[in-house]
PDB file of all heavy atoms in Angstrom:
ATOM      1  N   LEU O   1      -8.929-208.641-129.933  1.00 78.00           N
ATOM      2  CA  LEU O   1      -9.125-209.426-131.152  1.00 78.00           C
ATOM      3  C   LEU O   1      -7.878-209.502-132.010  1.00 78.00           C
ATOM      4  O   LEU O   1      -7.606-210.537-132.636  1.00 78.00           O
ATOM      5  CB  LEU O   1     -10.278-208.829-131.974  1.00 78.00           C
ATOM      6  CG  LEU O   1     -11.700-209.123-131.473  1.00 78.00           C
ATOM      7  CD1 LEU O   1     -12.707-208.292-132.248  1.00 78.00           C
ATOM      8  CD2 LEU O   1     -12.029-210.604-131.577  1.00 78.00           C
ATOM      9  N   PHE O   2      -7.099-208.413-132.044  1.00 78.00           N
ATOM     10  CA  PHE O   2      -6.022-208.347-133.028  1.00 78.00           C
ATOM     11  C   PHE O   2      -4.618-208.142-132.461  1.00 78.00           C
ATOM     12  O   PHE O   2      -3.640-208.306-133.186  1.00 78.00           O
ATOM     13  CB  PHE O   2      -6.301-207.203-134.019  1.00 78.00           C
ATOM     14  CG  PHE O   2      -7.595-207.363-134.755  1.00 78.00           C
ATOM     15  CD1 PHE O   2      -8.657-206.514-134.496  1.00 78.00           C
ATOM     16  CD2 PHE O   2      -7.761-208.375-135.688  1.00 78.00           C
ATOM     17  CE1 PHE O   2      -9.860-206.654-135.179  1.00 78.00           C
ATOM     18  CE2 PHE O   2      -8.959-208.533-136.368  1.00 78.00           C
ATOM     19  CZ  PHE O   2     -10.011-207.673-136.104  1.00 78.00           C
ATOM     20  N   VAL O   3      -4.495-207.784-131.167  1.00 70.00           N
ATOM     21  CA  VAL O   3      -3.180-207.474-130.617  1.00 70.00           C
ATOM     22  C   VAL O   3      -2.750-208.466-129.554  1.00 70.00           C
ATOM     23  O   VAL O   3      -1.674-209.061-129.646  1.00 70.00           O
ATOM     24  CB  VAL O   3      -3.137-206.043-130.030  1.00 70.00           C
ATOM     25  CG1 VAL O   3      -1.762-205.752-129.434  1.00 70.00           C
ATOM     26  CG2 VAL O   3      -3.488-205.025-131.103  1.00 70.00           C
ATOM     27  N   ASP O   4      -3.582-208.669-128.542  1.00 62.00           N
ATOM     28  CA  ASP O   4      -3.179-209.480-127.396  1.00 62.00           C
ATOM     29  C   ASP O   4      -3.009-210.946-127.782  1.00 62.00           C
ATOM     30  O   ASP O   4      -3.855-211.536-128.426  1.00 62.00           O
ATOM     31  CB  ASP O   4      -4.232-209.386-126.285  1.00 62.00           C
ATOM     32  CG  ASP O   4      -3.879-210.267-125.106  1.00 62.00           C
ATOM     33  OD1 ASP O   4      -2.752-210.158-124.607  1.00 62.00           O
ATOM     34  OD2 ASP O   4      -4.730-211.085-124.710  1.00 62.00           O
ATOM     35  N   HIS O   5      -1.895-211.535-127.334  1.00 54.00           N
ATOM     36  CA  HIS O   5      -1.647-212.954-127.544  1.00 54.00           C
ATOM     37  C   HIS O   5      -1.347-213.672-126.238  1.00 54.00           C
ATOM     38  O   HIS O   5      -0.859-214.788-126.234  1.00 54.00           O
ATOM     39  CB  HIS O   5      -0.474-213.152-128.517  1.00 54.00           C
ATOM     40  CG  HIS O   5      -0.726-212.548-129.864  1.00 54.00           C
ATOM     41  ND1 HIS O   5      -1.667-213.043-130.749  1.00 54.00           N
ATOM     42  CD2 HIS O   5      -0.177-211.459-130.466  1.00 54.00           C
ATOM     43  CE1 HIS O   5      -1.676-212.308-131.849  1.00 54.00           C
ATOM     44  NE2 HIS O   5      -0.788-211.337-131.703  1.00 54.00           N
ATOM     45  N   GLY O   6      -1.629-213.013-125.135  1.00 56.00           N
ATOM     46  CA  GLY O   6      -1.488-213.641-123.834  1.00 56.00           C
ATOM     47  C   GLY O   6      -0.063-213.822-123.373  1.00 56.00           C
ATOM     48  O   GLY O   6       0.201-214.538-122.412  1.00 56.00           O
ATOM     49  N   GLY O   7       0.893-213.187-124.031  1.00 55.00           N
ATOM     50  CA  GLY O   7       2.281-213.366-123.642  1.00 55.00           C
ATOM     51  C   GLY O   7       2.806-212.181-122.857  1.00 55.00           C
ATOM     52  O   GLY O   7       2.102-211.216-122.575  1.00 55.00           O
ATOM     53  N   LYS O   8       4.092-212.241-122.490  1.00 54.00           N
ATOM     54  CA  LYS O   8       4.712-211.158-121.757  1.00 54.00           C
ATOM     55  C   LYS O   8       5.109-210.030-122.710  1.00 54.00           C
ATOM     56  O   LYS O   8       5.343-210.236-123.891  1.00 54.00           O
ATOM     57  CB  LYS O   8       5.939-211.660-120.997  1.00 54.00           C
ATOM     58  CG  LYS O   8       5.602-212.597-119.851  1.00 54.00           C
ATOM     59  CD  LYS O   8       6.812-212.856-118.986  1.00 54.00           C
ATOM     60  CE  LYS O   8       6.435-213.707-117.778  1.00 54.00           C
ATOM     61  NZ  LYS O   8       7.574-213.878-116.839  1.00 54.00           N
ATOM     62  N   VAL O   9       5.171-208.843-122.156  1.00 55.00           N
ATOM     63  CA  VAL O   9       5.641-207.696-122.918  1.00 55.00           C
ATOM     64  C   VAL O   9       6.817-207.082-122.168  1.00 55.00           C
ATOM     65  O   VAL O   9       6.914-207.188-120.956  1.00 55.00           O
ATOM     66  CB  VAL O   9       4.527-206.631-123.082  1.00 55.00           C
ATOM     67  CG1 VAL O   9       3.396-207.170-123.906  1.00 55.00           C
ATOM     68  CG2 VAL O   9       4.017-206.159-121.736  1.00 55.00           C
ATOM     69  N   ARG O  10       7.721-206.464-122.928  1.00 61.00           N
ATOM     70  CA  ARG O  10       8.835-205.783-122.288  1.00 61.00           C
ATOM     71  C   ARG O  10       8.310-204.533-121.607  1.00 61.00           C
ATOM     72  O   ARG O  10       7.607-203.723-122.205  1.00 61.00           O
ATOM     73  CB  ARG O  10       9.897-205.434-123.327  1.00 61.00           C
ATOM     74  CG  ARG O  10      10.538-206.639-123.973  1.00 61.00           C
ATOM     75  CD  ARG O  10      11.607-206.225-124.950  1.00 61.00           C
ATOM     76  NE  ARG O  10      12.686-205.509-124.285  1.00 61.00           N
ATOM     77  CZ  ARG O  10      13.726-204.948-124.911  1.00 61.00           C
ATOM     78  NH1 ARG O  10      13.808-205.022-126.237  1.00 61.00           N
ATOM     79  NH2 ARG O  10      14.656-204.311-124.233  1.00 61.00           N
ATOM     80  N   MET O  11       8.660-204.357-120.322  1.00 64.00           N
ATOM     81  CA  MET O  11       8.056-203.275-119.572  1.00 64.00           C
ATOM     82  C   MET O  11       9.074-202.646-118.622  1.00 64.00           C
ATOM     83  O   MET O  11       9.473-203.254-117.631  1.00 64.00           O
ATOM     84  CB  MET O  11       6.850-203.798-118.774  1.00 64.00           C
ATOM     85  CG  MET O  11       6.060-202.704-118.066  1.00 64.00           C
ATOM     86  SD  MET O  11       4.628-203.379-117.206  1.00 64.00           S
ATOM     87  CE  MET O  11       3.697-204.084-118.554  1.00 64.00           C
ATOM     88  N   GLY O  12       9.492-201.422-118.956  1.00 72.00           N
ATOM     89  CA  GLY O  12      10.350-200.674-118.064  1.00 72.00           C
ATOM     90  C   GLY O  12       9.526-199.930-117.029  1.00 72.00           C
ATOM     91  O   GLY O  12       8.296-200.043-116.982  1.00 72.00           O
ATOM     92  N   ALA O  13      10.200-199.126-116.222  1.00 78.00           N
ATOM     93  CA  ALA O  13       9.531-198.425-115.124  1.00 78.00           C
ATOM     94  C   ALA O  13       8.476-197.444-115.627  1.00 78.00           C
ATOM     95  O   ALA O  13       7.370-197.370-115.087  1.00 78.00           O
ATOM     96  CB  ALA O  13      10.569-197.693-114.275  1.00 78.00           C
ATOM     97  N   TRP O  14       8.811-196.695-116.705  1.00 82.00           N
ATOM     98  CA  TRP O  14       7.864-195.701-117.211  1.00 82.00           C
ATOM     99  C   TRP O  14       6.627-196.366-117.810  1.00 82.00           C
ATOM    100  O   TRP O  14       5.498-195.898-117.609  1.00 82.00           O
ATOM    101  CB  TRP O  14       8.537-194.805-118.253  1.00 82.00           C
ATOM    102  CG  TRP O  14       9.474-193.820-117.646  1.00 82.00           C
ATOM    103  CD1 TRP O  14      10.841-193.845-117.692  1.00 82.00           C
ATOM    104  CD2 TRP O  14       9.126-192.665-116.866  1.00 82.00           C
ATOM    105  NE1 TRP O  14      11.361-192.776-116.998  1.00 82.00           N
ATOM    106  CE2 TRP O  14      10.332-192.029-116.481  1.00 82.00           C
ATOM    107  CE3 TRP O  14       7.913-192.107-116.465  1.00 82.00           C
ATOM    108  CZ2 TRP O  14      10.365-190.877-115.712  1.00 82.00           C
ATOM    109  CZ3 TRP O  14       7.939-190.944-115.694  1.00 82.00           C
ATOM    110  CH2 TRP O  14       9.148-190.348-115.323  1.00 82.00           C
ATOM    111  N   LYS O  15       6.818-197.448-118.528  1.00 80.00           N
ATOM    112  CA  LYS O  15       5.674-198.143-119.102  1.00 80.00           C
ATOM    113  C   LYS O  15       4.809-198.750-117.995  1.00 80.00           C
ATOM    114  O   LYS O  15       3.578-198.703-118.066  1.00 80.00           O
ATOM    115  CB  LYS O  15       6.137-199.248-120.062  1.00 80.00           C
ATOM    116  CG  LYS O  15       4.981-199.971-120.753  1.00 80.00           C
ATOM    117  CD  LYS O  15       5.465-201.045-121.717  1.00 80.00           C
ATOM    118  CE  LYS O  15       6.039-200.433-122.967  1.00 80.00           C
ATOM    119  NZ  LYS O  15       6.343-201.471-123.992  1.00 80.00           N
ATOM    120  N   ALA O  16       5.443-199.297-116.962  1.00 82.00           N
ATOM    121  CA  ALA O  16       4.695-199.872-115.839  1.00 82.00           C
ATOM    122  C   ALA O  16       3.850-198.795-115.158  1.00 82.00           C
ATOM    123  O   ALA O  16       2.676-199.015-114.838  1.00 82.00           O
ATOM    124  CB  ALA O  16       5.655-200.516-114.838  1.00 82.00           C
ATOM    125  N   CYS O  17       4.448-197.616-114.941  1.00 86.00           N
ATOM    126  CA  CYS O  17       3.701-196.512-114.321  1.00 86.00           C
ATOM    127  C   CYS O  17       2.522-196.089-115.189  1.00 86.00           C
ATOM    128  O   CYS O  17       1.420-195.822-114.679  1.00 86.00           O
ATOM    129  CB  CYS O  17       4.622-195.322-114.079  1.00 86.00           C
ATOM    130  SG  CYS O  17       5.845-195.581-112.774  1.00 86.00           S
ATOM    131  N   ALA O  18       2.750-196.024-116.501  1.00 84.00           N
ATOM    132  CA  ALA O  18       1.681-195.646-117.426  1.00 84.00           C
ATOM    133  C   ALA O  18       0.546-196.668-117.377  1.00 84.00           C
ATOM    134  O   ALA O  18      -0.641-196.298-117.377  1.00 84.00           O
ATOM    135  CB  ALA O  18       2.229-195.520-118.842  1.00 84.00           C
ATOM    136  N   PHE O  19       0.887-197.944-117.330  1.00 81.00           N
ATOM    137  CA  PHE O  19      -0.124-198.992-117.265  1.00 81.00           C
ATOM    138  C   PHE O  19      -0.965-198.843-116.001  1.00 81.00           C
ATOM    139  O   PHE O  19      -2.191-198.983-116.030  1.00 81.00           O
ATOM    140  CB  PHE O  19       0.543-200.370-117.292  1.00 81.00           C
ATOM    141  CG  PHE O  19       0.804-200.894-118.676  1.00 81.00           C
ATOM    142  CD1 PHE O  19       1.188-200.046-119.691  1.00 81.00           C
ATOM    143  CD2 PHE O  19       0.681-202.245-118.953  1.00 81.00           C
ATOM    144  CE1 PHE O  19       1.431-200.519-120.975  1.00 81.00           C
ATOM    145  CE2 PHE O  19       0.917-202.731-120.236  1.00 81.00           C
ATOM    146  CZ  PHE O  19       1.303-201.869-121.245  1.00 81.00           C
ATOM    147  N   ILE O  20      -0.308-198.566-114.874  1.00 88.00           N
ATOM    148  CA  ILE O  20      -1.018-198.431-113.597  1.00 88.00           C
ATOM    149  C   ILE O  20      -1.969-197.241-113.632  1.00 88.00           C
ATOM    150  O   ILE O  20      -3.135-197.341-113.233  1.00 88.00           O
ATOM    151  CB  ILE O  20      -0.001-198.286-112.440  1.00 88.00           C
ATOM    152  CG1 ILE O  20       0.772-199.597-112.247  1.00 88.00           C
ATOM    153  CG2 ILE O  20      -0.717-197.900-111.140  1.00 88.00           C
ATOM    154  CD1 ILE O  20       1.964-199.475-111.322  1.00 88.00           C
ATOM    155  N   VAL O  21      -1.483-196.101-114.126  1.00 88.00           N
ATOM    156  CA  VAL O  21      -2.304-194.884-114.142  1.00 88.00           C
ATOM    157  C   VAL O  21      -3.491-195.030-115.091  1.00 88.00           C
ATOM    158  O   VAL O  21      -4.639-194.727-114.727  1.00 88.00           O
ATOM    159  CB  VAL O  21      -1.438-193.663-114.553  1.00 88.00           C
ATOM    160  CG1 VAL O  21      -2.325-192.441-114.812  1.00 88.00           C
ATOM    161  CG2 VAL O  21      -0.427-193.347-113.460  1.00 88.00           C
ATOM    162  N   VAL O  22      -3.243-195.494-116.305  1.00 84.00           N
ATOM    163  CA  VAL O  22      -4.325-195.647-117.285  1.00 84.00           C
ATOM    164  C   VAL O  22      -5.346-196.684-116.805  1.00 84.00           C
ATOM    165  O   VAL O  22      -6.558-196.492-116.935  1.00 84.00           O
ATOM    166  CB  VAL O  22      -3.768-196.035-118.667  1.00 84.00           C
ATOM    167  CG1 VAL O  22      -4.906-196.344-119.642  1.00 84.00           C
ATOM    168  CG2 VAL O  22      -2.902-194.909-119.218  1.00 84.00           C
ATOM    169  N   SER O  23      -4.870-197.766-116.226  1.00 83.00           N
ATOM    170  CA  SER O  23      -5.763-198.795-115.711  1.00 83.00           C
ATOM    171  C   SER O  23      -6.631-198.245-114.590  1.00 83.00           C
ATOM    172  O   SER O  23      -7.836-198.524-114.523  1.00 83.00           O
ATOM    173  CB  SER O  23      -4.947-199.988-115.205  1.00 83.00           C
ATOM    174  OG  SER O  23      -5.800-201.009-114.733  1.00 83.00           O
ATOM    175  N   ALA O  24      -6.031-197.447-113.708  1.00 87.00           N
ATOM    176  CA  ALA O  24      -6.792-196.846-112.609  1.00 87.00           C
ATOM    177  C   ALA O  24      -7.869-195.898-113.128  1.00 87.00           C
ATOM    178  O   ALA O  24      -8.996-195.868-112.609  1.00 87.00           O
ATOM    179  CB  ALA O  24      -5.844-196.106-111.668  1.00 87.00           C
ATOM    180  N   LEU O  25      -7.544-195.113-114.161  1.00 86.00           N
ATOM    181  CA  LEU O  25      -8.527-194.205-114.746  1.00 86.00           C
ATOM    182  C   LEU O  25      -9.682-194.972-115.381  1.00 86.00           C
ATOM    183  O   LEU O  25     -10.857-194.610-115.214  1.00 86.00           O
ATOM    184  CB  LEU O  25      -7.849-193.320-115.798  1.00 86.00           C
ATOM    185  CG  LEU O  25      -6.855-192.282-115.269  1.00 86.00           C
ATOM    186  CD1 LEU O  25      -6.132-191.596-116.422  1.00 86.00           C
ATOM    187  CD2 LEU O  25      -7.571-191.253-114.399  1.00 86.00           C
ATOM    188  N   CYS O  26      -9.359-196.054-116.112  1.00 83.00           N
ATOM    189  CA  CYS O  26     -10.405-196.876-116.737  1.00 83.00           C
ATOM    190  C   CYS O  26     -11.273-197.544-115.673  1.00 83.00           C
ATOM    191  O   CYS O  26     -12.494-197.672-115.830  1.00 83.00           O
ATOM    192  CB  CYS O  26      -9.771-197.933-117.639  1.00 83.00           C
ATOM    193  SG  CYS O  26      -8.973-197.259-119.111  1.00 83.00           S
ATOM    194  N   ASP O  27     -10.645-197.954-114.597  1.00 83.00           N
ATOM    195  CA  ASP O  27     -11.381-198.572-113.493  1.00 83.00           C
ATOM    196  C   ASP O  27     -12.342-197.573-112.875  1.00 83.00           C
ATOM    197  O   ASP O  27     -13.508-197.873-112.613  1.00 83.00           O
ATOM    198  CB  ASP O  27     -10.386-199.072-112.441  1.00 83.00           C
ATOM    199  CG  ASP O  27     -11.023-199.999-111.416  1.00 83.00           C
ATOM    200  OD1 ASP O  27     -12.273-200.079-111.371  1.00 83.00           O
ATOM    201  OD2 ASP O  27     -10.286-200.647-110.659  1.00 83.00           O
ATOM    202  N   ALA O  28     -11.866-196.358-112.635  1.00 83.00           N
ATOM    203  CA  ALA O  28     -12.687-195.336-111.981  1.00 83.00           C
ATOM    204  C   ALA O  28     -13.872-194.914-112.833  1.00 83.00           C
ATOM    205  O   ALA O  28     -15.005-194.814-112.344  1.00 83.00           O
ATOM    206  CB  ALA O  28     -11.824-194.119-111.651  1.00 83.00           C
ATOM    207  N   PHE O  29     -13.626-194.642-114.112  1.00 82.00           N
ATOM    208  CA  PHE O  29     -14.684-194.114-114.968  1.00 82.00           C
ATOM    209  C   PHE O  29     -15.571-195.192-115.577  1.00 82.00           C
ATOM    210  O   PHE O  29     -16.771-194.982-115.754  1.00 82.00           O
ATOM    211  CB  PHE O  29     -14.063-193.277-116.097  1.00 82.00           C
ATOM    212  CG  PHE O  29     -13.608-191.921-115.664  1.00 82.00           C
ATOM    213  CD1 PHE O  29     -12.263-191.650-115.488  1.00 82.00           C
ATOM    214  CD2 PHE O  29     -14.519-190.907-115.420  1.00 82.00           C
ATOM    215  CE1 PHE O  29     -11.825-190.400-115.084  1.00 82.00           C
ATOM    216  CE2 PHE O  29     -14.111-189.650-115.015  1.00 82.00           C
ATOM    217  CZ  PHE O  29     -12.755-189.392-114.843  1.00 82.00           C
TER     218      PHE O  29
END
């Protein structure tokens, strides 16, 4: 509602890894 605007975000290797891990946890639970 208040953050996402459908655009790209700057994403380095550590942020990409964090996104993958957190997304996998949310998917599992």
